[in-house]
Amino acid sequence: THVSCQKSQITPESVEILGRSYPRDDMTNVTAKILSLVGRDLHNQKHHPLWIIKERIKEHFYRSYTSRTGTPIFSVYDNISQVVTVEQNFDSLLIPKDHPSRKKGDNYYLNQTHMLRAHTSAHQRELVRSGLDCFLLAGDVYRRDEIDASHYPVFHQMEGVRLFTNHELFARVENGEDLSLFENSGRRTAQKQEIHTMEAVKLVEFNLKHTLTQLIRHLFGEELEIRWVECYFPFTHPSFEMEVRFQGDWLEVLGCGVMEQELLHSAGAENKVGWAFGLGLERLAMVLFGIPDIRLFWSKDERFLKQFHLTNINDSVTFQALGKYPPLFNDISFWLPAEGYTETDFYDLVRSIGGDLVEKVELQDQFTHPNVWTVPQCGDCMVRCLPSLLLAVKAIGRTNKVSHCYRIVYRHMERTLSQEEVRLIHQAIEQAAEQKLGVQGRF
Ligand code: FA5
Ligand code: MG
């Protein structure tokens, strides 16, 4: 969370971000507002809805895909820098130099060579090159767009890649040792790349669709209607999009396909075939939790965030619209017991008594009772007074008390609370704090 404290700024000469400086040129179009969002890392904020989705996907892959010894075969990356080279974001994925997706109007460029990644696919080649066969990668991506309920210039994607050797792909096929991944005189058709055999492609495609169908079933249950639509990406062929039924319409949630062999070749994995997918975490979260507006993900409003404080990431939760009713503030102060007090005990106590009426609890102020006493000035008296002075210091040490003052914000989602009902709850909290936490009220 402290990454955002690193100074990002735009000066007349350069763009400074994540501790590095990028000289400006005619491609620079990133704004201060966008830079301020780099480092929020919503997908890494515990209990954030995007974090919950990410964790559920991780858990599903960890459990479902293990090696013979039981260890997960997919490794997960969620902390790779969002500043990438233009080469990573486009060239490494075989995206032609004149492809419309490179437009300055659609991307955030730091300068001619660097940009904020527009998709998590930007990291495919480097991760394959590092020797990985199976991985997931979650991250924030940046695209120039207007802002409304379903568009925000920053959103989050989860990328997945799985590679197969000849043996891995055909091991479970009868007489599989006679099959091969590649052929030399093949042609590119709607079904396959020139170099792949039809049997290799069909198995990879089947594994890809099965993996993603299982994932979506895990997240949404059996009822959700899904369908596959053929589409085009320069870095996969064949390519598909998955759509799900949402509010009477079809909503695209991911793109995927059989990886272009040229990409695998450039990553040093030319003897393997593989699939890749990229899904939108906000889209899934909106469907899963019923979040109506993509801007809410950026909210720092406790009324939004606290709805996702699940004990278990698999607990079900449906978003409740934020109440527009006014809050009531009440403070509570007490002396802490000599030992054994923790702030979280108090927060739990407040929530257990105040329930959903408590929107927020905040430590406002704390102080230690000042140790004020006058030291005798004369040497003579010092000798006589020393024993009693020491006793006094000891006594103060023992009664040296710490006071905390908390502000509790009360708010009901559906109506305006009255002072009177809040007073009753507040008093119950005061009493319970004295009884259960051993504090001494200053009410
Ligand atoms: C891509 O970004 C490809 N990199 C996906 C891919 C990966 C294809 C690997 C093949 C292999 P696309 O631009 O369609 O594709 O975005 C992928 C997903 O991100 C979409 O299906 C959608 O769920 C989500 N997404 C795209 N644009 C937005 C947006 N403006 N707001 C929210 N989610 C979006
Ligand atoms: Mg798409």
Side-chain angles (χ1 to χ4, degrees):
T1 53
H2 292 281
V3 175
S4 52
C5 302
Q6 263 180 316
K7 203 172 49 172
S8 294
Q9 62 169 354
I10 305 177
T11 71
E13 298 81 38
S14 66
V15 177
E16 269 139 54
I17 179 174
L18 301 173
R20 282 194 57 182
S21 177
Y22 300 86
R24 288 178 68 142
D25 57 33
D26 57 348
M27 282 302 274
T28 307
N29 66 355
V30 69
T31 63
K33 167 73 187 159
I34 291 298
L35 285 188
S36 76
L37 299 176
V38 177
R40 281 284 294 279
D41 282 341
L42 298 182
H43 60 293
N44 290 336
Q45 302 309 316
K46 203 169 177 197
H47 299 305
H48 191 279
L50 297 175
W51 174 87
I52 294 175
I53 299 264
K54 182 192 77 175
E55 291 298 312
R56 286 185 186 176
I57 296 174
K58 271 167 66 176
E59 188 185 78
H60 172 75
F61 273 88
Y62 282 162
R63 284 210 185 139
S64 307
Y65 305 98
T66 53
S67 69
R68 265 178 293 121
T69 58
T71 45
I73 60 175
F74 280 87
S75 39
V76 180
Y77 299 82
D78 53 19
N79 211 0
I80 302 181
S81 171
Q82 41 289 83
V83 176
V84 298
T85 60
V86 172
E87 208 271 335
Q88 284 176 292
N89 197 81
F90 296 118
D91 300 72
S92 80
L93 293 160
L94 317 169
I95 297 171
K97 291 279 185 214
D98 57 356
H99 196 272
S101 66
R102 295 184 184 241
K103 277 206 307 281
K104 194 174 165 184
D106 288 351
N107 298 282
Y108 287 109
Y109 285 93
L110 305 184
N111 57 27
Q112 285 171 6
T113 54
H114 287 81
M115 64 186 294
L116 297 172
R117 67 183 164 216
H119 53 176
T120 45
S121 302
H123 303 287
Q124 275 187 18
R125 189 190 56 191
E126 72 195 72
L127 290 179
V128 170
R129 193 183 270 160
S130 76
L132 296 170
D133 285 336
C134 298
F135 61 84
L136 300 175
L137 158 64
D140 38 344
V141 301
Y142 297 74
R143 294 184 193 179
R144 285 185 74 183
D145 220 330
E146 68 230 75
I147 299 183
D148 64 24
S150 59
H151 295 88
Y152 201 78
V154 191
F155 60 97
H156 295 73
Q157 287 186 331
M158 172 85 98
E159 191 89 1
V161 166
R162 182 167 189 181
L163 306 185
F164 302 89
T165 61
N166 190 317
H167 176 73
E168 283 161 348
L169 193 65
F170 296 128
R172 275 173 295 171
V173 177
E174 205 177 332
N175 297 325
E177 59 276 17
D178 295 337
L179 301 175
S180 26
L181 300 178
F182 307 113
E183 63 181 2
N184 283 325
S185 45
R187 283 195 12 254
R188 182 171 285 247
T189 66
Q191 278 83 41
K192 68 174 205 73
Q193 298 168 37
E194 44 278 59
I195 192 165
H196 292 152
T197 62
M198 188 63 94
E199 42 289 6
V201 171
K202 285 299 167 192
L203 282 178
V204 172
E205 181 182 325
F206 176 78
N207 186 274
L208 168 64
K209 288 180 173 171
H210 182 72
T211 302
L212 289 169
T213 307
Q214 292 290 100
L215 171 66
I216 296 300
R217 295 255 170 274
H218 170 72
L219 295 174
F220 294 94
E222 297 295 323
E223 286 84 60
L224 187 73
E225 256 190 287
I226 67 171
R227 72 174 187 191
W228 292 102
V229 179
E230 280 179 36
C231 70
Y232 173 79
F233 297 105
F235 38 97
T236 51
H237 184 72
S239 305
F240 312 93
E241 283 168 348
M242 184 201 272
E243 297 184 344
V244 305
R245 198 84 174 156
F246 181 56
Q247 295 178 343
D249 245 330
W250 291 102
L251 173 72
E252 177 203 319
V253 291
L254 64 87
C256 66
V258 177
M259 293 173 80
E260 280 289 347
Q261 205 58 31
E262 189 182 334
L263 196 169
L264 288 177
H265 191 93
S266 72
E270 59 279 347
N271 59 337
K272 298 174 183 170
V273 294
W275 53 243
F277 68 79
L279 56 79
L281 291 177
E282 277 86 352
R283 295 255 170 107
L284 295 184
M286 289 171 90
V287 180
L288 198 53
F289 302 133
I291 297 173
D293 191 315
I294 200 165
R295 288 168 289 200
L296 280 165
F297 292 102
W298 296 91
S299 170
K300 294 178 177 171
D301 190 327
E302 282 297 315
R303 292 174 295 158
F304 175 74
L305 295 172
K306 84 169 196 192
Q307 296 192 32
F308 300 94
H309 272 254
L310 312 178
T311 339
N312 181 309
I313 55 158
N314 293 308
D315 291 349
S316 74
V317 42
T318 306
F319 174 67
Q320 305 288 311
L322 301 187
K324 290 177 184 67
Y325 298 92
L328 283 175
F329 303 89
N330 265 285
D331 292 348
I332 177 170
S333 314
F334 43 70
W335 298 110
L336 306 192
E339 53 201 39
Y341 174 88
T342 65
E343 274 170 50
T344 40
D345 288 343
F346 179 67
Y347 296 141
D348 285 344
L349 180 141
V350 172
R351 301 236 184 254
S352 68
I353 295 174
D356 282 346
L357 297 189
V358 176
E359 182 174 300
K360 193 173 183 172
V361 188
E362 252 182 345
L363 182 59
Q364 294 284 106
D365 188 29
Q366 55 180 319
F367 73 97
T368 305
H369 196 280
N371 302 328
V372 186
W373 73 90
T374 24
V375 180
Q377 292 295 309
C378 63
D380 209 33
C381 163
M382 195 63 162
V383 178
R384 275 189 293 119
C385 296
L386 198 56
S388 58
L389 181 61
L390 288 176
L391 274 180
V393 169
K394 239 172 134 181
I396 289 168
R398 250 187 287 123
T399 58
N400 189 355
K401 296 192 295 188
V402 179
S403 165
H404 277 188
C405 176
Y406 296 88
R407 167 150 300 175
I408 305 180
V409 183
Y410 297 91
R411 180 174 354 219
H412 198 290
M413 294 283 210
E414 279 103 32
R415 62 189 170 78
T416 302
L417 287 171
S418 72
Q419 273 295 351
E420 179 57 15
E421 63 185 317
V422 167
R423 195 177 60 79
L424 291 175
I425 297 164
H426 200 71
Q427 278 173 354
I429 291 172
E430 290 173 346
Q431 279 174 15
E434 289 201 311
Q435 284 161 14
K436 301 208 169 117
L437 304 179
V439 306
Q440 188 192 336
R442 307 175 62 202
F443 314 138

